[in-house]
C-alpha cells in the first residue's frame, strides 16, 4: 500500500499550493490563519504554548511545515514524507520562503517511524493516517513519538461528514479497482472532479487507499495506546 501511495503522490505531489499560487505569501498567510484557528479550537493557547521540538508526519510539499514554522518559530521541526517528489518540492519551497528551523527526511509512518528513537513535544499529522495500510498502527507509531507531557494533533477523514465522498469512492472501486488510469478517467467522466485541478483528482479519487473514521473510533485508538 505504501508503495502505491508513494506512486500516486510522485505523479501529482500534494498539495503543491505555492507552485500554483500567484502570491505565495498570501497563500501561506491563509493556511497559517487556518492553523491558528484550528489550534485554538483544540484548546492550544498560542500565547503560552511553545513546543521545543515538533514532528510533522506526512509533510507533502512543505506548506504545512512552512506555516507551522511561523506559528512556532523557536521549535526544531522534523518534517517527513514517503514521497521523494514531494520532498524535492518541499525543499525548494522552504528555501524560497527562507525557512531555517525545518529538517526534511524521507520516512514511512508504518515502516520507518518505529525505528526513530527521538520523541517530540508536538507530533502533527494532518490528512495522512486515512491513507495508511494500517491506520491504527500508524496512530500507535505516532503516539510512540510523543514525549512525556507532549501533544499529538491528528486530522483525518470523518465517516459521517464524507458520506457522499465514500459513495463516490465505492463506485470507482467497483468499476476501476486500483488502476490509476481507469480511476482518473471515470472520476472525470462521472464529474466527481474537474480537469482543471489534477492535484485534487489524484489526492481525492486516484488514491489507492482512502479510509474514513468516526470520532469514537479514534478515541478507541487513543485509549488502547494510553
Amino acid at each position: 500500500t505504501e508503495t502505491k501511495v508513494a506512486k500516486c503522490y510522485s505523479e501529482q505531489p500534494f498539495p503543491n499550493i505555492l507552485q500554483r499560487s500567484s502570491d505565495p505569501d498570501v497563500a501561506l498567510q491563509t493556511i497559517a490563519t487556518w492553523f491558528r484557528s484550528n489550534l485554538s479550537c483544540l484548546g492550544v493557547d498560542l500565547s503560552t504554548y511553545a513546543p521545543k521540538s515538533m514532528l510533522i508526519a506526512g509533510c507533502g510539499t512543505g506548506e504545512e511545515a512552512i506555516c507551522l514554522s511561523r506559528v512556532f518559530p523557536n521549535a526544531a521541526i522534523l518534517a517527513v514524507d514517503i514521497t521523494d517528489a514531494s520532498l524535492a518540492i518541499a525543499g525548494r519551497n522552504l528555501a524560497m520562503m527562507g525557512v531555517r528551523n525545518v529538517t526534511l527526511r524521507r520516512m514511512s509512518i508504518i515502516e520507518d517511524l518505529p525505528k526513530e528513537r527521538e520523541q517530540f513535544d508536538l507530533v502533527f499529522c494532518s490528512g495522512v493516517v486515512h491513507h495508511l495500510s494500517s491506520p491504527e498502527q500508524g496512530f500507535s507509531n505516532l503516539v510512540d513519538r510523543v514525549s512525556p507531557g507532549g501533544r499529538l494533533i491528528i486530522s483525518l477523514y470523518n465517516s459521517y461528514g464524507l458520506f457522499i465522498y465514500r459513495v463516490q469512492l465505492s463506485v470507482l472501486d467497483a468499476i476501476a479497482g486500483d488502476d490509476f488510469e481507469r480511476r482518473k478517467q471515470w472520476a472525470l467522466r462521472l464529474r466527481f472532479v474537474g480537469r482543471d485541478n489534477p492535484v485534487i483528482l489524484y489526492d481525492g479519487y486516484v488514491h489507492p487507499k482512502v479510509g474514513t473514521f468516526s470520532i469514537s473510533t479514534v478515541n478507541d485508538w487513543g485509549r488502547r495506546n494510553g
Side-chain angles (χ1 to χ4, degrees), residues 128-145:
V128 178
V129 168
H130 47 246
H131 293 318
L132 299 179
S133 56
S134 174
E136 184 173 359
Q137 182 60 54
F139 180 91
S140 179
N141 292 348
L142 293 170
V143 170
D144 287 343
R145 301 277 59 79

Side-chain angles (χ1 to χ4, degrees), residues 6-185:
K7 180 178 184 295
C8 176
Y9 288 125
S10 293
E11 293 189 11
Q12 195 61 244
F14 181 86
N16 207 8
I17 294 170
L18 296 188
Q19 305 298 311
R20 297 180 287 114
S21 174
S22 59
D23 192 330
D25 277 316
V26 171
L28 286 171
Q29 185 57 44
T30 300
I31 302 170
T33 299
W34 183 83
F35 274 133
R36 288 188 175 94
S37 175
N38 276 274
L39 290 169
S40 296
C41 287
L42 291 170
V44 178
D45 184 351
L46 294 176
S47 66
T48 59
Y49 182 58
K52 294 180 180 179
S53 60
M54 182 188 313
L55 170 67
I56 302 176
C59 67
T61 52
E63 286 84 351
E64 285 182 344
I66 295 170
C67 291
L68 286 169
S69 76
R70 293 182 174 186
V71 176
F72 302 111
N74 296 318
I77 300 174
L78 173 62
V80 306
D81 200 87
I82 196 174
T83 308
D84 289 329
S86 294
L87 288 170
I89 295 174
R92 293 196 293 271
N93 286 338
L94 291 170
M96 178 176 66
M97 304 311 298
V99 176
R100 298 180 181 276
N101 63 328
V102 175
T103 300
L104 297 174
R105 190 184 303 170
R106 188 185 186 283
M107 186 179 291
S108 160
I109 293 174
I110 293 294
E111 297 175 2
D112 301 321
L113 194 58
K115 304 171 188 176
E116 173 70 36
R117 300 318 329 149
E118 184 179 359
Q119 290 187 310
F120 303 84
D121 296 335
L122 174 60
V123 174
F124 183 92
C125 185
S126 177
V128 178
V129 168
H130 47 246
H131 293 318
L132 299 179
S133 56
S134 174
E136 184 173 359
Q137 182 60 54
F139 180 91
S140 179
N141 292 348
L142 293 170
V143 170
D144 287 343
R145 301 277 59 79
V146 180
S147 62
R151 297 176 187 246
L152 167 64
I153 294 179
I154 183 170
S155 172
L156 66 168
Y157 289 161
N158 181 275
S159 300
Y160 304 109
L162 294 176
F163 174 77
I164 294 176
Y165 175 57
R166 291 173 64 199
V167 172
Q168 292 175 329
L169 291 179
S170 296
V171 171
L172 290 178
D173 290 343
I175 62 180
D178 61 0
D179 186 309
F180 277 29
E181 290 303 318
R182 283 179 58 82
R183 292 184 74 87
K184 283 192 289 186
Q185 293 168 6

